[in-house]
Amino acid sequence: MDRRDVLKLSAVAGAAGVITLAPVDFAAADAPGDGELTRTVTGHLPTGVADFVYLPVEVPRGVRQIAVSYTYDRPAVPAGTLGNACDIGIFDNRGTALGGRGFRGWSGGARTEFAISAEEATPGYLAGPVAAGTWYVVLGPYTVAPQGLDYEVTVTLTPGAQGRTPKPDYPPEQVGGRGRGWYRGDCHLHTVHSDGKRTLEDLAALARAAKLDFINSSDHNTSSTHPHLGPLAGDDLLILTGEEVTTRNGHYLAIGLDGGTFVDWRYRARDDAFDGFARQIRRAGGIVVPAHPYGTSLASQWKFGYDNVDAIEVWNGPWTSDDEASLLTWDNLLTGAARRGDGRWIPAMGNSDAHRDPDVVGLPQTVVQAESLSRKALQDGIRAGRSWIAENADVQLGLTASGPRGQHAGIGERLAVGPQDAVTVSLTVSGVPADALLRLVSDEGQVFAAPLPASGTVTWQTTASLAAYVRAEVRHPAPAGTPAGLPGPAAAITNPIWLGHK
């Protein structure tokens, strides 16, 4: 990157560092006529470059479509050294302000080209007029090799009259005739609108095959799925509109947003921007859920803390060691809530994060007690912790606690008993392998474990003085080679029942 190519280098307040390159000026040399106009820009980005590099494009009047393609080199690097990886997206003439209105699409590293017109757009991008003014192709150098990153961006403008943008067809917020009950859903799913390989139609079909009642669209850093989801919903499937907000310091789910809401991702933990976007999500009717807090891919580990979230994704896809770490972190947060005694705690949920075959939609799934099969009721249930996590729709589970005077509480609720009152906890499980292990966990740790009995039900007695909460786990046998004392993969996990007065 030559200094002559740089128009501006800035660390924008509230945003990750950015570089703005010299503009590509179509308007100065050519006005659209009958043929396409193409410009190609090349450059070099050094190690340590800003998170986002903006290439301004001066778009004249009379443009029907803007198309962009790009390439970058991938030189060999020493073992253990990160090579080149560069994402791409675009903002229109309304600008690149953090959380502003200029967003027109993002494909990360999943595509090498895209096109936008009023009538249609490449998945991940938003159809709409190609207005005259300064547009911004944005490069996201995710990682840069020691040699640096050489890039080439080609922009093509196609002249013509603007077409008509289709009216968005957002899915309904409620399935009629479905009252209070337990509803199964998967809120972390990907399609061709980001780095998934499945179409929206594929996703809806797989959700139905998995016997889910609801799903949430959560493609990375884009709302482009939202306008297309309405026809895929039905009396048997509620579809929520959302996003996986993929920052450089962790990923989080915005679940159940108003249709068309876009949530910006261009900030790090040190930028002090997360809380503002969490508020935006809630204003748009959504909830905030950190995804895979100990994810193993670069930048997927959660660094924003847990003070401003509505739930935590403790189980992401097939059970692995990072899920175990997430579960332990969540349990420590429960213990902290017990110590505070103010009744505030963060529930757990699980999702598949399915991208492509053979990823299984609904492995795992969150089972939510809600007053209806609706966006608001499901979110209320998730926020309250009236939910548990299952590896598939065959798993059935009930966890209750009862006191000496007829008191009764279920998952996510509080059993109001005195410190020394006898409490009976009952766990009933079915639809899991016969060799499953049933565990009860309190703020002291595991307090009960037993093989699945023929009846499927176990009971345990305690008092609120001994257990501030109790939650259940159903585990598969530990695979050969697992260190002693570590349980096997989860088949089900519940949120806690709290014991004692606040």
Side-chain angles (χ1 to χ4, degrees), residues 3-18:
R3 289 181 181 273
R4 294 170 298 179
D5 295 331
V6 180
L7 179 65
K8 180 173 60 177
L9 170 60
S10 61
V12 178
V18 303

Side-chain angles (χ1 to χ4, degrees), residues 273-438:
F274 168 73
D275 287 346
F277 286 103
R279 290 191 294 271
Q280 177 204 348
I281 289 167
R282 295 189 184 100
R283 287 195 302 269
I287 60 175
V288 179
V289 180
H292 46 67
Y294 292 93
T296 55
S297 63
L298 183 68
S300 66
Q301 297 84 25
W302 184 247
K303 306 293 187 182
F304 293 93
Y306 299 99
D307 293 338
N308 201 358
V309 305
D310 297 300
I312 301 171
E313 186 184 76
V314 303
W315 185 352
N316 175 277
W319 188 266
T320 56
S321 58
D322 59 295
D323 298 304
E324 200 74 59
S326 297
L327 181 68
L328 292 173
T329 294
W330 171 65
D331 192 73
N332 284 336
L333 291 171
L334 294 181
T335 303
R339 184 174 60 252
R340 290 194 313 272
D342 57 7
R344 295 186 298 107
W345 59 283
I346 304 171
M349 70 180 307
N351 302 296
S352 72
D353 199 1
H355 283 70
R356 59 188 65 83
D357 293 340
D359 297 351
V360 178
V361 172
L363 170 60
Q365 54 197 250
T366 301
V367 190
V368 185
Q369 187 181 53
E371 295 302 316
S372 62
L373 184 52
S374 67
R375 174 173 75 152
K376 185 179 184 305
L378 290 168
Q379 291 170 329
D380 287 346
I382 292 170
R383 273 192 296 255
R386 297 191 301 270
S387 61
W388 56 280
I389 311 167
E391 66 178 349
N392 57 51
D394 294 333
V395 180
Q396 303 290 331
L397 181 149
L399 178 68
T400 61
S402 57
R405 290 175 292 281
Q407 308 99 311
H408 182 275
I411 297 169
E413 297 176 337
R414 177 173 290 275
L415 185 70
V417 292
Q420 302 304 323
D421 287 345
V423 173
T424 300
V425 177
S426 177
L427 172 63
T428 300
V429 180
S430 64
V432 299
D435 57 359
L437 176 71
L438 309 189

